[in-house]
Amino acid sequence: MSQAELAAALPQEADDHDLGGEAGPSHQPELELEHADDEAAGAAEASDAVANLSLSGGAGDVPSGGQQVVAKLLISNAAAGSVIGKAGQTIEQIQKNSGARVQLSRAGEFYPGTSERVLLLSGPLHSVLTAVFLSLEKLPREPTSPLARGGGGGLGTPGGSRGREDVVKLAVSRKLCGAVIGQKGATIRDFMSDSGATIRVQPLSELTPSDSERIISVSGSRDRVLRAVALILNTLSADDKFSAYMDLTLQLASTQGLIPAVRASTRQSTLSNARAVLTMALLDEDVGAILGKRGQTLTQIQQNAKVAIKISDRSKMDPHTHEREVTLSGSYAGIQLACAMIAEKLSANRPRVSEGGGGDEDLGYEDPGVFY
């Protein structure tokens, strides 16, 4: 996919998105041209960024980029809204400009055990990487924002002392993670050195026997993240087991949706609809992370999990431990989801320290799931 091909395809897209109706003001054509120019500039930038990934040297050099791949990304609700755009125009534009197929799970349909939706990208490697780039471009870049779109929210830009970074979370088959990690973490460390991005593999201790995938989180500046994702997808595509995994993923997406009922049911139990109440003690500073700005985070958790959450007043806080009571009430399944969302917010609110480590069940030992 060349820059010229992308730029040439964009001017006609204004007609494709024409909604008809009464004629607008006289300056409307100029606005459409300006919008087309912005889209052309963004697509050209994506094309250049992806083309630069084919630099020689380093581990797992990216070849022509024409091999077919599938990438299952986890994104927050806020990020999903930005990717969809008004009346679905943004996601349609990403698909047209990248050449990749872009699918997003429905509102309220979350990846099992999380509060994140699934963004499934498929097509040639370069097209998928371009779709990742264009998706990141649609998200707001707020240096002071919490990690809601990063460590706790999949695709996006975290803030904090680490500056403006992009974070991409990939759900990858457990059987394929060994190829990415390598013997004693050698491959993933090479990827870190090559790309300059930080890569974290979900620890085995967080998985249940029914979990068929692990989460790989990649963070850093946009060019570093794209390079790391390119190396990961390129390595996966060369594995003998990847083709079967890709075919199954796409088949399930077309027949059962991006969150197959059979996959999600493994997380359910006979107690799912039972009414329950859970009370936990959290530090006052952690309560702030759950509340969010003007209580928006708390409201989002309650709406998504369909539970009621009550937080004790500061006047009733334990003076010795500085802990406050947080009470959740609702269905058993809803409380489980709310707890997962709260855990994500608390994890995102705390600084993470890079550590060494590595491994995989395929290599005969377990890795701690820390940053490599």
Side-chain angles (χ1 to χ4, degrees):
M1 179 180 56
S2 67
Q3 178 176 344
E5 290 173 333
L6 282 171
L10 288 169
Q12 290 78 26
E13 291 172 4
D15 293 335
D16 294 341
H17 293 287
D18 184 6
L19 301 180
E22 298 181 0
S26 59
H27 63 276
Q28 185 66 23
E30 295 180 6
L31 290 177
E32 291 181 353
L33 286 175
E34 181 179 350
H35 174 72
D37 289 341
D38 290 342
E39 291 293 344
E45 184 180 1
S47 179
D48 289 342
V50 173
N52 289 335
L53 296 175
S54 299
L55 297 174
S56 60
D61 292 332
V62 181
S64 62
Q67 69 270 40
Q68 294 293 312
V69 298
V70 62
K72 183 184 292 186
L73 279 61
L74 307 188
I75 66 175
S76 67
N77 262 327
S82 298
V83 170
I84 293 171
K86 186 177 181 180
Q89 291 184 0
T90 299
I91 196 169
E92 179 183 352
Q93 199 74 36
I94 292 173
Q95 187 163 255
K96 286 183 177 180
N97 290 346
S98 67
R101 185 179 185 187
V102 182
Q103 299 170 270
L104 181 66
S105 63
R106 298 176 182 274
E109 292 185 352
F110 303 115
Y111 187 82
T114 76
S115 58
E116 297 165 330
R117 294 166 68 176
V118 172
L119 180 67
L120 189 67
L121 309 175
S122 57
L125 176 59
H126 274 183
S127 296
V128 168
L129 292 172
T130 302
V132 172
F133 181 97
L134 293 174
S135 297
L136 290 170
E137 280 289 293
K138 298 302 179 182
L139 303 182
R141 299 179 65 82
E142 301 175 1
T144 58
S145 65
L147 282 168
R149 291 183 301 277
L155 181 71
T157 306
S161 60
R162 299 180 67 183
R164 297 185 176 186
E165 292 185 343
D166 287 313
V167 176
V168 171
K169 294 173 72 174
L170 296 163
V172 177
S173 170
R174 289 176 67 165
K175 296 181 179 180
L176 290 167
C177 281
V180 176
I181 296 173
Q183 185 68 32
K184 296 185 178 180
T187 301
I188 204 167
R189 282 195 293 271
D190 285 343
F191 289 174
M192 286 272 292
S193 176
D194 183 311
S195 65
T198 298
I199 304 175
R200 180 187 185 272
V201 180
Q202 183 182 22
L204 295 173
S205 60
E206 294 181 3
L207 305 177
T208 67
S210 61
D211 289 324
S212 61
E213 296 172 324
R214 296 171 72 179
I215 308 303
I216 299 178
S217 302
V218 183
S219 60
S221 61
R222 186 157 303 167
D223 58 336
R224 293 180 176 183
V225 167
L226 284 175
R227 175 64 178 173
V229 172
L231 293 170
I232 291 171
L233 293 179
N234 179 61
T235 298
L236 292 175
S237 67
D239 192 285
D240 293 337
K241 299 183 287 291
F242 183 76
S243 180
Y245 168 72
M246 178 171 61
D247 292 343
L248 177 61
T249 299
L250 295 177
Q251 181 181 5
L252 289 175
S254 62
T255 59
Q256 301 184 33
L258 299 185
I259 311 292
V262 65
R263 172 76 166 84
S265 65
T266 61
R267 296 277 183 168
Q268 298 176 352
S269 72
T270 55
L271 297 176
S272 294
N273 295 322
R275 303 298 298 176
V277 176
L278 173 67
T279 299
M280 63 179 75
L282 294 179
L283 293 173
D284 184 49
E285 60 187 50
D286 288 338
V287 169
I290 297 174
L291 286 172
K293 187 177 182 180
R294 297 180 180 177
Q296 293 179 350
T297 300
L298 179 64
T299 300
Q300 182 184 26
I301 294 175
Q302 293 183 108
Q303 291 177 345
N304 289 342
K306 295 181 174 60
V307 300
I309 302 177
K310 293 184 178 180
I311 302 175
S312 64
D313 294 333
R314 271 196 174 139
S315 60
K316 298 180 181 180
M317 181 174 62
D318 188 313
H320 303 291
T321 63
H322 298 285
E323 292 177 338
R324 297 167 67 180
E325 282 193 355
V326 178
T327 303
L328 294 76
S329 58
S331 68
Y332 178 78
I335 289 178
Q336 283 187 313
L337 176 57
C339 286
M341 297 176 71
I342 290 173
E344 288 178 351
K345 297 300 180 184
L346 296 183
S347 176
N349 192 52
R350 292 168 180 163
R352 296 173 296 181
V353 180
S354 299
E355 302 177 31
D360 189 71
E361 66 268 34
D362 295 335
L363 303 177
Y365 59 93
E366 295 194 353
D367 67 282
V370 298
F371 286 93
Y372 290 94

